[in-house]
Amino acid sequence: MNISQLHAFYKVIRGRAIALITPLSPEDCCAQSMMEASPAKWHLAHTTWFFETFILERAEARFRPYNSVFRELFNSYYNGIGNQYPRPHRGLLTRPSLEEVLAYRATVDQRVLDLLDRGMLNPDQCALITLGLHHEQQHQELLLTDIKHLLSFNPLAPSYTEAQSVVDRESPPLEWLAYSAGLIEIGHNGKGFCFDNELPRHLVYLPDYQLASRLVTNGEYLDFIEDGGYDNPLFWLADGWDWRQRQGRAHPLYWRWMDDAWFEFTLSGLRPLSRHLPVVHVSYYETDAYARWAEARLPSEAEWEHAAQLLPVTGHFADSEIFHPSTPQGDGLMQCFGDTWEWTQSNYSPYPGYRICAGAVGEYNGKFMVNQYVLRGGSCVTPPDQVRASYRNFFPTDACWQFSGIRLARDAN
Amino acid sequence: MNISQLHAFYKVIRGRAIALITPLSPEDCCAQSMMEASPAKWHLAHTTWFFETFILERAEARFRPYNSVFRELFNSYYNGIGNQYPRPHRGLLTRPSLEEVLAYRATVDQRVLDLLDRGMLNPDQCALITLGLHHEQQHQELLLTDIKHLLSFNPLAPSYTEAQSVVDRESPPLEWLAYSAGLIEIGHNGKGFCFDNELPRHLVYLPDYQLASRLVTNGEYLDFIEDGGYDNPLFWLADGWDWRQRQGRAHPLYWRWMDDAWFEFTLSGLRPLSRHLPVVHVSYYETDAYARWAEARLPSEAEWEHAAQLLPVTGHFADSEIFHPSTPQGDGLMQCFGDTWEWTQSNYSPYPGYRICAGAVGEYNGKFMVNQYVLRGGSCVTPPDQVRASYRNFFPTDACWQFSGIRLARDAN
Amino acid sequence: MNISQLHAFYKVIRGRAIALITPLSPEDCCAQSMMEASPAKWHLAHTTWFFETFILERAEARFRPYNSVFRELFNSYYNGIGNQYPRPHRGLLTRPSLEEVLAYRATVDQRVLDLLDRGMLNPDQCALITLGLHHEQQHQELLLTDIKHLLSFNPLAPSYTEAQSVVDRESPPLEWLAYSAGLIEIGHNGKGFCFDNELPRHLVYLPDYQLASRLVTNGEYLDFIEDGGYDNPLFWLADGWDWRQRQGRAHPLYWRWMDDAWFEFTLSGLRPLSRHLPVVHVSYYETDAYARWAEARLPSEAEWEHAAQLLPVTGHFADSEIFHPSTPQGDGLMQCFGDTWEWTQSNYSPYPGYRICAGAVGEYNGKFMVNQYVLRGGSCVTPPDQVRASYRNFFPTDACWQFSGIRLARDAN
Amino acid sequence: MNISQLHAFYKVIRGRAIALITPLSPEDCCAQSMMEASPAKWHLAHTTWFFETFILERAEARFRPYNSVFRELFNSYYNGIGNQYPRPHRGLLTRPSLEEVLAYRATVDQRVLDLLDRGMLNPDQCALITLGLHHEQQHQELLLTDIKHLLSFNPLAPSYTEAQSVVDRESPPLEWLAYSAGLIEIGHNGKGFCFDNELPRHLVYLPDYQLASRLVTNGEYLDFIEDGGYDNPLFWLADGWDWRQRQGRAHPLYWRWMDDAWFEFTLSGLRPLSRHLPVVHVSYYETDAYARWAEARLPSEAEWEHAAQLLPVTGHFADSEIFHPSTPQGDGLMQCFGDTWEWTQSNYSPYPGYRICAGAVGEYNGKFMVNQYVLRGGSCVTPPDQVRASYRNFFPTDACWQFSGIRLARDAN
């Protein structure tokens, strides 16, 4: 990307965040529904802090912090930068107000673009801007998942956005697509942006395997429930069964049983549950239990990436402004990109030869490589520029508030 | 009170809440800093719910709820009325917005006053309105204590109100005032409003005792700290020592040690700690430990009330708009009313012959009469009409976020 | 008591502990079922530590500790003496063995008696021996309550002792005995031993009141259960309802519903529940809820003591070797002493003029005077010499593992 | 194995457990120091339950349970068999006594051997006996690790066994051994017993890598500590740093700083820490932090197994009766087997094509394949027949009470 392309990319990406909060009140943007989620306002400020800290502070001759307290307030987890405001208290930051945070964004944006336009940034700094814009997109997705989580606590069942028509019709039948054994390559192939955790591209040996042609639907998942899936420990990992017992969980996170029918809380409020749509907001534990019940298993991330890397990165993403997964159409391997993130059976760990980035952004990925599992492919709330076949998302096994769904795999017969 | 007096009283009291939130943003009004505190918006809505539920629903011929979900959202703890929205989640109620809650208030107020003016309310219902207005005042005080707690989490140390001059000069010396043994009476004497927990007025035998002439100051409390008060378990109740160890507490809740000096977080931001001002925001445990160190004890509520009941109910209350305690002047028993609540050694329990109110408001007081201790006299954030000599406030032994201070007592020599 | 009487008293009391553990294995004596309970072996060692620390260490010319580690291991809570081994880990002390602890007891006993016989102890030290023997008796009672709690976790439902016939027949009808208002005295009257918390004797004004003639029975408590007592929050204190919900409690601690009938776990194993026997092992919360359901209340400790102080201290105590409460006989105020401890509505607090003992034993009582409630009268596992009309036992409101039962009171009509 | 070999194997393995408890008292065998550890008596009973349930119950014509309650008491986690006694309460099972459990063992052993000798067991049942004996060996190791954990809580620092001379001399220098890239095989090769989780043998592609020639020593680990290893978050995984902060951990589990020197609690009591001996009882988090500090990483399990599978399975195991790791001698890849378990960076997950055993023992391994990491090679408390190159042990990342140590790996230059 040259400078004017980067300038344009910066404006597009940063502008989307402002559009995303349009339907929200200052109160909506301030509240935090659990430690793992952050207020929308915090997302807006933190991504700005990233540019202030990693670009302005290093490139501006007479840098002065916008507000010296922000350095701590909006640092997420960079121990190399200094202290961080306690994560569970982010919802208590009623000041600065949303308006002040938007002013902070505007100022930092102007100063970044000014440096860029005046040719004051070296290639490494331009690369950091690109990283910052991908980071921004990750937070734009989280802003939506976190708002959904927050609104789900409200008995008024508020809508984030007016209902739009999800594609909701009979799904094509689930078919098994076969892939042959061999020594294959995964990891980013060197063209365009990627995160450090997608590198290096490396060899992996895969045996014969099969992937389901589409995501599991609500209807199929209901069959699992009605067959006693949540009541039979033999379907569950031991940890998963503990989780299910402790939480009293008997259905996906946002399902509601009301007046003798299933409903689903969505970003457009409560909707009757459709059997055709993909099941979404399931934990790794639920995904694994469903797969065992279905006499299948989850794909490894290598299997998934091997199959996905020849497909175009198209699908139902956030730019559709329909923030709920939909029914696929077509044939072959469908819904790989968009609709829902797909749990894999792969633990999030470094690729052979992985090197953590030097410097302050070295805390971006590597330090989270334990006790989390990889999800692939993006979802209906993922910005369209964010995802690649090699993109690795990761969450703990009990996480449900992301738009996570189920792709089955199995060994060759 | 006749109807027009009640009408006027209603308007004054309800109006004060609106004044109290003037310095606050919608975000400030929505956040909740701990389970025991509530958002300002919730206080505004809950007190309105009280009038809607206990007055309108019973007295309006064609009553329709303002919003049927509010019945649950803004019910605090009345099991007789139905379910309650979970207390720790009140800060997640970003909807209804502050604006909507103010509209709810306006509508209910209009309907209550309309019923009142049209003579549609019987004396019991008028009494319930009076109860509701005292309830409102209690929540106005909590609104301030809860906002202070919330803002204290913010490293920006925001002010609720612009600084006004607290009276801060040398205190008169602490003197011991003697009271003689005898069979005395406590409890409300029958004139004017009181809560059920102040009744019945009854006989208590008191031995000779002495009360300190004024509240303990920050300077005196600092002497306790500097004498190792927080490090010597022999000053502490066993439970108190556990609390102090578990919390790592070594000073009152809102004190801050910065740049080699003590500061105090107030509703006007961080202020250098004044040795002259009363110590405030101490727990029962700290109060008891201080008293043991000072070779004194806490007063019983009967001792306190016996001494206070002949004094006029005047002092530094919330109408001063100085939301911080101040130095007393004069002589005799000073600061009995206002400045800080005063912990007593008395467990909150029913008076002999106590009867719980009949009907739905019976849950107001009686069910809390266990594992809490009585505080007396009101504070600088208490509305001036709220307190009487017989008024009983009550909190658990670890509570610090109220404006609670220390009055010493001792046995006669 | 002269020296030879004290010698004899020492031998009798200390000997009882050895008899109490006769039915127990070394494993039984080592395990700890919750933080609040202690292993039998620990009780044996701690009471010995008391004599070693407070008598031998001060009175022996060439004192050497039996084992210097025991000073910490068997110190319960005396901060004045030094560190304490963490209370929740007492069950991990598999060493010293039971045999070693018995040897420790024998050695310390011999040395104490030797000092006593040789006239080496001054009156204060003799008084400390007497205190130590009352302390020993308290721990002998706890040894039984703690063993019952431990065995209750075992699906084999083991017996501590072979079944003996509890007196189990129809109870006399519950009658209300009236007491007149007046200025009365409570507290120890100066004859014989008492703990510091029973002093000073002091005046209390009581209004007219009534006490139930006997304890509440299992049958009466079953009526409460069958009337939905555990399901109606309006019977409960708010804290009590929280406790009941959190614990899922729906009956007294040791009741078991098996094969369509109620059983009760006793120190003689599982027994069919008798409607005639007193209900036992109820918390303050359950006691209070039952009383509200029964349109009565709990007595205050002053009411109880005023009524009890003219009765002889006789009843069903541990010397009967029937470790379960029984049906009363006779008339007037029955079961005041023995059978079950009786919850009072009185918070455990210092009497007017109370002074904590000087010196190391000053931590015995005073520091626990917060957030606990007073029980009176002793139980079927209380040694017969332990209790007086002025004796104050105390436990938190959720404690059930003591032999605690229900005596009702009410205001005069 | 033919029947007489199996008979002999059974007697040898089962006999070892009895030898292991010889130094222990009944109290030692009953206590449980944390939920993850079990009492020695429980291990003895549970392994016996395994034979009673999976052999006797199915093969004896007139099977009657030894004690029907044992079925629940000693079931560890087999949901297919029925309920389980709650794991955190195993230390409360003072009954059955140790003596009774030994009688239970003797009876079951006699009945199993009788069936075996009379030819009443089919090959599947003989295979289950073999499985049961490997299961027994796993519990014999746990018995030692759990006793060490229990005794470590005792300020008397008791010895499980009299001190024997650990080999403790200067270690050979740490060298890096290089292995070449290629498609290799791991998993059990089909000869002799293995667990289901070692199957199937399968292809894995490995890049060039290097392994350290020996385990990390206490001296090397001290260098990490003295270089601020526990105080610098940049060495730690984010989860690991949280763990270290929450636990206040600043050294390996059993190290003690006393009188200005490091000591180590061992199964022979407290010993001065030797710089030469392998560091042991470190968590995955500590291992990973040490490796990052040392500019290395952990091996994957495939790397480890590839290097180990040609070595003989010899080393310092439990049959040495020296229950502490020792200094290696020789050259090449040392200490692969015995001394300490070696953490790998591999998450415990199913091998491609893994099938869970049919029937009741299907819960043995598969359901634990989440959120745990693989350790390889056995330790000084592992029975010599238990381990193979393909043997996969697994524990959560915070586990320290196993004899876990550190083998470093790194990418080829």
Side-chain angles (χ1 to χ4, degrees), chain A residues 26-28 32 85 92 94-95 98 153-154, chain B residues 26-28 32 85 92 94-95 98 153-154:
Chain A
E27 290 123 305
D28 293 332
Q32 178 183 35
Y85 187 72
L92 306 184
T94 60
R95 323 275 178 100
L98 178 57
F153 281 85
N154 197 321
Chain B
E27 290 123 305
D28 292 334
Q32 180 183 33
Y85 187 72
L92 305 183
T94 60
R95 322 275 180 99
L98 178 57
F153 281 85
N154 198 320

PDB file of all heavy atoms in Angstrom, chain A residues 26-28 32 85 92 94-95 98 153-154, chain B residues 26-28 32 85 92 94-95 98 153-154:
ATOM      1  N   PRO A  26     -25.328   6.962  24.916  1.00  0.00           N
ATOM      2  CA  PRO A  26     -24.120   7.024  25.755  1.00  0.00           C
ATOM      3  C   PRO A  26     -24.130   5.949  26.837  1.00  0.00           C
ATOM      4  O   PRO A  26     -23.099   5.375  27.150  1.00  0.00           O
ATOM      5  CB  PRO A  26     -24.200   8.429  26.370  1.00  0.00           C
ATOM      6  CG  PRO A  26     -25.023   9.226  25.420  1.00  0.00           C
ATOM      7  CD  PRO A  26     -26.001   8.264  24.817  1.00  0.00           C
ATOM      8  N   GLU A  27     -25.290   5.655  27.415  1.00  0.00           N
ATOM      9  CA  GLU A  27     -25.365   4.609  28.438  1.00  0.00           C
ATOM     10  C   GLU A  27     -25.011   3.248  27.836  1.00  0.00           C
ATOM     11  O   GLU A  27     -24.260   2.479  28.439  1.00  0.00           O
ATOM     12  CB  GLU A  27     -26.776   4.521  29.021  1.00  0.00           C
ATOM     13  CG  GLU A  27     -27.173   5.695  29.894  1.00  0.00           C
ATOM     14  CD  GLU A  27     -28.422   6.386  29.396  1.00  0.00           C
ATOM     15  OE1 GLU A  27     -28.436   6.792  28.199  1.00  0.00           O
ATOM     16  OE2 GLU A  27     -29.379   6.519  30.193  1.00  0.00           O
ATOM     17  N   ASP A  28     -25.570   2.944  26.674  1.00  0.00           N
ATOM     18  CA  ASP A  28     -25.243   1.677  26.015  1.00  0.00           C
ATOM     19  C   ASP A  28     -23.741   1.538  25.814  1.00  0.00           C
ATOM     20  O   ASP A  28     -23.186   0.435  25.916  1.00  0.00           O
ATOM     21  CB  ASP A  28     -25.893   1.596  24.622  1.00  0.00           C
ATOM     22  CG  ASP A  28     -27.403   1.517  24.651  1.00  0.00           C
ATOM     23  OD1 ASP A  28     -27.958   1.012  25.650  1.00  0.00           O
ATOM     24  OD2 ASP A  28     -28.032   1.959  23.662  1.00  0.00           O
ATOM     25  N   GLN A  32     -20.677  -2.499  30.936  1.00  0.00           N
ATOM     26  CA  GLN A  32     -19.873  -3.705  30.710  1.00  0.00           C
ATOM     27  C   GLN A  32     -20.587  -4.875  31.384  1.00  0.00           C
ATOM     28  O   GLN A  32     -20.799  -4.867  32.588  1.00  0.00           O
ATOM     29  CB  GLN A  32     -18.496  -3.510  31.350  1.00  0.00           C
ATOM     30  CG  GLN A  32     -17.573  -4.710  31.218  1.00  0.00           C
ATOM     31  CD  GLN A  32     -16.238  -4.503  31.919  1.00  0.00           C
ATOM     32  OE1 GLN A  32     -16.174  -3.863  32.953  1.00  0.00           O
ATOM     33  NE2 GLN A  32     -15.174  -5.058  31.374  1.00  0.00           N
ATOM     34  N   TYR A  85      -5.675  -0.146  33.768  1.00  0.00           N
ATOM     35  CA  TYR A  85      -6.872  -0.029  34.601  1.00  0.00           C
ATOM     36  C   TYR A  85      -7.510  -1.416  34.697  1.00  0.00           C
ATOM     37  O   TYR A  85      -7.601  -2.129  33.695  1.00  0.00           O
ATOM     38  CB  TYR A  85      -7.841   0.963  33.958  1.00  0.00           C
ATOM     39  CG  TYR A  85      -9.027   1.270  34.832  1.00  0.00           C
ATOM     40  CD1 TYR A  85      -8.881   2.049  35.968  1.00  0.00           C
ATOM     41  CD2 TYR A  85     -10.279   0.767  34.523  1.00  0.00           C
ATOM     42  CE1 TYR A  85      -9.970   2.333  36.778  1.00  0.00           C
ATOM     43  CE2 TYR A  85     -11.370   1.047  35.329  1.00  0.00           C
ATOM     44  CZ  TYR A  85     -11.206   1.821  36.463  1.00  0.00           C
ATOM     45  OH  TYR A  85     -12.288   2.090  37.266  1.00  0.00           O
ATOM     46  N   LEU A  92     -17.098   1.124  34.793  1.00  0.00           N
ATOM     47  CA  LEU A  92     -17.251   2.204  35.777  1.00  0.00           C
ATOM     48  C   LEU A  92     -16.693   3.530  35.271  1.00  0.00           C
ATOM     49  O   LEU A  92     -16.818   4.554  35.933  1.00  0.00           O
ATOM     50  CB  LEU A  92     -16.561   1.806  37.087  1.00  0.00           C
ATOM     51  CG  LEU A  92     -17.009   0.467  37.678  1.00  0.00           C
ATOM     52  CD1 LEU A  92     -16.331   0.217  39.016  1.00  0.00           C
ATOM     53  CD2 LEU A  92     -18.533   0.419  37.841  1.00  0.00           C
ATOM     54  N   THR A  94     -17.370   6.219  33.681  1.00  0.00           N
ATOM     55  CA  THR A  94     -18.399   7.089  33.099  1.00  0.00           C
ATOM     56  C   THR A  94     -17.767   8.357  32.540  1.00  0.00           C
ATOM     57  O   THR A  94     -18.361   9.026  31.706  1.00  0.00           O
ATOM     58  CB  THR A  94     -19.453   7.441  34.160  1.00  0.00           C
ATOM     59  OG1 THR A  94     -18.792   8.113  35.247  1.00  0.00           O
ATOM     60  CG2 THR A  94     -20.110   6.181  34.691  1.00  0.00           C
ATOM     61  N   ARG A  95     -16.599   8.694  33.010  1.00  0.00           N
ATOM     62  CA  ARG A  95     -15.791   9.764  32.438  1.00  0.00           C
ATOM     63  C   ARG A  95     -14.508   9.145  31.925  1.00  0.00           C
ATOM     64  O   ARG A  95     -13.953   8.300  32.623  1.00  0.00           O
ATOM     65  CB  ARG A  95     -15.443  10.816  33.505  1.00  0.00           C
ATOM     66  CG  ARG A  95     -16.522  11.092  34.507  1.00  0.00           C
ATOM     67  CD  ARG A  95     -17.515  12.117  34.039  1.00  0.00           C
ATOM     68  NE  ARG A  95     -18.551  12.304  35.043  1.00  0.00           N
ATOM     69  CZ  ARG A  95     -18.574  13.325  35.915  1.00  0.00           C
ATOM     70  NH1 ARG A  95     -17.631  14.230  35.919  1.00  0.00           N
ATOM     71  NH2 ARG A  95     -19.559  13.434  36.787  1.00  0.00           N
ATOM     72  N   LEU A  98     -18.714   9.740  26.302  1.00  0.00           N
ATOM     73  CA  LEU A  98     -18.650   9.299  24.911  1.00  0.00           C
ATOM     74  C   LEU A  98     -18.207  10.450  24.007  1.00  0.00           C
ATOM     75  O   LEU A  98     -17.354  10.272  23.123  1.00  0.00           O
ATOM     76  CB  LEU A  98     -20.024   8.774  24.483  1.00  0.00           C
ATOM     77  CG  LEU A  98     -20.149   8.317  23.031  1.00  0.00           C
ATOM     78  CD1 LEU A  98     -19.137   7.217  22.695  1.00  0.00           C
ATOM     79  CD2 LEU A  98     -21.567   7.819  22.748  1.00  0.00           C
ATOM     80  N   PHE A 153     -29.081  -8.967  28.727  1.00  0.00           N
ATOM     81  CA  PHE A 153     -29.459  -8.937  30.147  1.00  0.00           C
ATOM     82  C   PHE A 153     -30.713  -8.114  30.394  1.00  0.00           C
ATOM     83  O   PHE A 153     -31.217  -8.082  31.511  1.00  0.00           O
ATOM     84  CB  PHE A 153     -28.315  -8.339  30.982  1.00  0.00           C
ATOM     85  CG  PHE A 153     -27.214  -9.304  31.255  1.00  0.00           C
ATOM     86  CD1 PHE A 153     -26.200  -9.495  30.336  1.00  0.00           C
ATOM     87  CD2 PHE A 153     -27.207 -10.048  32.425  1.00  0.00           C
ATOM     88  CE1 PHE A 153     -25.187 -10.402  30.582  1.00  0.00           C
ATOM     89  CE2 PHE A 153     -26.198 -10.961  32.679  1.00  0.00           C
ATOM     90  CZ  PHE A 153     -25.183 -11.142  31.752  1.00  0.00           C
ATOM     91  N   ASN A 154     -31.171  -7.421  29.393  1.00  0.00           N
ATOM     92  CA  ASN A 154     -32.263  -6.476  29.594  1.00  0.00           C
ATOM     93  C   ASN A 154     -33.618  -7.127  29.283  1.00  0.00           C
ATOM     94  O   ASN A 154     -33.851  -7.542  28.142  1.00  0.00           O
ATOM     95  CB  ASN A 154     -32.037  -5.244  28.706  1.00  0.00           C
ATOM     96  CG  ASN A 154     -32.873  -4.077  29.162  1.00  0.00           C
ATOM     97  OD1 ASN A 154     -34.026  -4.257  29.563  1.00  0.00           O
ATOM     98  ND2 ASN A 154     -32.298  -2.885  29.120  1.00  0.00           N
TER      99      ASN A 154
ATOM    100  N   PRO B  26     -25.764  11.017  31.507  1.00  0.00           N
ATOM    101  CA  PRO B  26     -26.516   9.760  31.437  1.00  0.00           C
ATOM    102  C   PRO B  26     -25.646   8.556  31.816  1.00  0.00           C
ATOM    103  O   PRO B  26     -26.114   7.629  32.476  1.00  0.00           O
ATOM    104  CB  PRO B  26     -26.935   9.683  29.966  1.00  0.00           C
ATOM    105  CG  PRO B  26     -26.945  11.093  29.498  1.00  0.00           C
ATOM    106  CD  PRO B  26     -25.865  11.797  30.272  1.00  0.00           C
ATOM    107  N   GLU B  27     -24.366   8.566  31.419  1.00  0.00           N
ATOM    108  CA  GLU B  27     -23.481   7.459  31.785  1.00  0.00           C
ATOM    109  C   GLU B  27     -23.304   7.380  33.293  1.00  0.00           C
ATOM    110  O   GLU B  27     -23.355   6.302  33.880  1.00  0.00           O
ATOM    111  CB  GLU B  27     -22.100   7.645  31.142  1.00  0.00           C
ATOM    112  CG  GLU B  27     -22.076   7.471  29.638  1.00  0.00           C
ATOM    113  CD  GLU B  27     -21.527   8.679  28.917  1.00  0.00           C
ATOM    114  OE1 GLU B  27     -22.071   9.790  29.144  1.00  0.00           O
ATOM    115  OE2 GLU B  27     -20.568   8.524  28.129  1.00  0.00           O
ATOM    116  N   ASP B  28     -23.043   8.527  33.928  1.00  0.00           N
ATOM    117  CA  ASP B  28     -22.903   8.540  35.387  1.00  0.00           C
ATOM    118  C   ASP B  28     -24.126   7.938  36.064  1.00  0.00           C
ATOM    119  O   ASP B  28     -24.018   7.267  37.085  1.00  0.00           O
ATOM    120  CB  ASP B  28     -22.775   9.995  35.898  1.00  0.00           C
ATOM    121  CG  ASP B  28     -21.496  10.679  35.490  1.00  0.00           C
ATOM    122  OD1 ASP B  28     -20.483   9.991  35.256  1.00  0.00           O
ATOM    123  OD2 ASP B  28     -21.502  11.933  35.406  1.00  0.00           O
ATOM    124  N   GLN B  32     -23.069   1.070  37.929  1.00  0.00           N
ATOM    125  CA  GLN B  32     -23.204   0.508  39.279  1.00  0.00           C
ATOM    126  C   GLN B  32     -21.846  -0.030  39.709  1.00  0.00           C
ATOM    127  O   GLN B  32     -21.300  -0.912  39.064  1.00  0.00           O
ATOM    128  CB  GLN B  32     -24.222  -0.631  39.246  1.00  0.00           C
ATOM    129  CG  GLN B  32     -24.448  -1.304  40.591  1.00  0.00           C
ATOM    130  CD  GLN B  32     -25.404  -2.488  40.513  1.00  0.00           C
ATOM    131  OE1 GLN B  32     -25.447  -3.194  39.515  1.00  0.00           O
ATOM    132  NE2 GLN B  32     -26.166  -2.717  41.564  1.00  0.00           N
ATOM    133  N   TYR B  85     -35.558  -7.907  39.329  1.00  0.00           N
ATOM    134  CA  TYR B  85     -34.384  -7.985  38.473  1.00  0.00           C
ATOM    135  C   TYR B  85     -33.160  -8.146  39.365  1.00  0.00           C
ATOM    136  O   TYR B  85     -33.063  -7.491  40.413  1.00  0.00           O
ATOM    137  CB  TYR B  85     -34.273  -6.698  37.647  1.00  0.00           C
ATOM    138  CG  TYR B  85     -33.188  -6.744  36.610  1.00  0.00           C
ATOM    139  CD1 TYR B  85     -33.340  -7.530  35.484  1.00  0.00           C
ATOM    140  CD2 TYR B  85     -32.011  -6.030  36.776  1.00  0.00           C
ATOM    141  CE1 TYR B  85     -32.338  -7.597  34.526  1.00  0.00           C
ATOM    142  CE2 TYR B  85     -31.005  -6.085  35.830  1.00  0.00           C
ATOM    143  CZ  TYR B  85     -31.178  -6.876  34.699  1.00  0.00           C
ATOM    144  OH  TYR B  85     -30.184  -6.947  33.758  1.00  0.00           O
ATOM    145  N   LEU B  92     -26.544  -2.812  34.234  1.00  0.00           N
ATOM    146  CA  LEU B  92     -26.640  -3.243  32.829  1.00  0.00           C
ATOM    147  C   LEU B  92     -27.893  -2.719  32.155  1.00  0.00           C
ATOM    148  O   LEU B  92     -28.088  -2.912  30.959  1.00  0.00           O
ATOM    149  CB  LEU B  92     -26.605  -4.773  32.759  1.00  0.00           C
ATOM    150  CG  LEU B  92     -25.391  -5.420  33.441  1.00  0.00           C
ATOM    151  CD1 LEU B  92     -25.419  -6.929  33.234  1.00  0.00           C
ATOM    152  CD2 LEU B  92     -24.084  -4.831  32.918  1.00  0.00           C
ATOM    153  N   THR B  94     -29.153  -0.285  30.484  1.00  0.00           N
ATOM    154  CA  THR B  94     -28.920   0.941  29.711  1.00  0.00           C
ATOM    155  C   THR B  94     -30.229   1.451  29.122  1.00  0.00           C
ATOM    156  O   THR B  94     -30.332   2.624  28.774  1.00  0.00           O
ATOM    157  CB  THR B  94     -27.902   0.675  28.601  1.00  0.00           C
ATOM    158  OG1 THR B  94     -28.422  -0.339  27.736  1.00  0.00           O
ATOM    159  CG2 THR B  94     -26.580   0.200  29.175  1.00  0.00           C
ATOM    160  N   ARG B  95     -31.188   0.583  28.991  1.00  0.00           N
ATOM    161  CA  ARG B  95     -32.548   0.968  28.635  1.00  0.00           C
ATOM    162  C   ARG B  95     -33.448   0.579  29.794  1.00  0.00           C
ATOM    163  O   ARG B  95     -33.274  -0.513  30.326  1.00  0.00           O
ATOM    164  CB  ARG B  95     -33.011   0.211  27.363  1.00  0.00           C
ATOM    165  CG  ARG B  95     -31.948   0.024  26.329  1.00  0.00           C
ATOM    166  CD  ARG B  95     -31.811   1.198  25.421  1.00  0.00           C
ATOM    167  NE  ARG B  95     -30.749   0.942  24.451  1.00  0.00           N
ATOM    168  CZ  ARG B  95     -30.941   0.518  23.190  1.00  0.00           C
ATOM    169  NH1 ARG B  95     -32.148   0.297  22.741  1.00  0.00           N
ATOM    170  NH2 ARG B  95     -29.917   0.338  22.369  1.00  0.00           N
ATOM    171  N   LEU B  98     -32.057   7.439  30.637  1.00  0.00           N
ATOM    172  CA  LEU B  98     -32.325   8.426  31.684  1.00  0.00           C
ATOM    173  C   LEU B  98     -33.531   9.284  31.303  1.00  0.00           C
ATOM    174  O   LEU B  98     -34.421   9.546  32.134  1.00  0.00           O
ATOM    175  CB  LEU B  98     -31.086   9.306  31.894  1.00  0.00           C
ATOM    176  CG  LEU B  98     -31.217  10.428  32.918  1.00  0.00           C
ATOM    177  CD1 LEU B  98     -31.613   9.891  34.284  1.00  0.00           C
ATOM    178  CD2 LEU B  98     -29.910  11.213  33.015  1.00  0.00           C
ATOM    179  N   PHE B 153     -13.748   5.140  41.683  1.00  0.00           N
ATOM    180  CA  PHE B 153     -13.024   4.157  40.871  1.00  0.00           C
ATOM    181  C   PHE B 153     -12.322   4.799  39.685  1.00  0.00           C
ATOM    182  O   PHE B 153     -11.581   4.130  38.974  1.00  0.00           O
ATOM    183  CB  PHE B 153     -13.985   3.083  40.342  1.00  0.00           C
ATOM    184  CG  PHE B 153     -14.327   2.050  41.349  1.00  0.00           C
ATOM    185  CD1 PHE B 153     -15.347   2.246  42.262  1.00  0.00           C
ATOM    186  CD2 PHE B 153     -13.611   0.859  41.404  1.00  0.00           C
ATOM    187  CE1 PHE B 153     -15.658   1.282  43.206  1.00  0.00           C
ATOM    188  CE2 PHE B 153     -13.918  -0.114  42.339  1.00  0.00           C
ATOM    189  CZ  PHE B 153     -14.942   0.100  43.246  1.00  0.00           C
ATOM    190  N   ASN B 154     -12.586   6.044  39.441  1.00  0.00           N
ATOM    191  CA  ASN B 154     -12.093   6.682  38.229  1.00  0.00           C
ATOM    192  C   ASN B 154     -10.776   7.418  38.495  1.00  0.00           C
ATOM    193  O   ASN B 154     -10.739   8.354  39.293  1.00  0.00           O
ATOM    194  CB  ASN B 154     -13.164   7.662  37.707  1.00  0.00           C
ATOM    195  CG  ASN B 154     -12.921   8.023  36.271  1.00  0.00           C
ATOM    196  OD1 ASN B 154     -11.771   8.216  35.867  1.00  0.00           O
ATOM    197  ND2 ASN B 154     -13.978   8.094  35.483  1.00  0.00           N
TER     198      ASN B 154
END
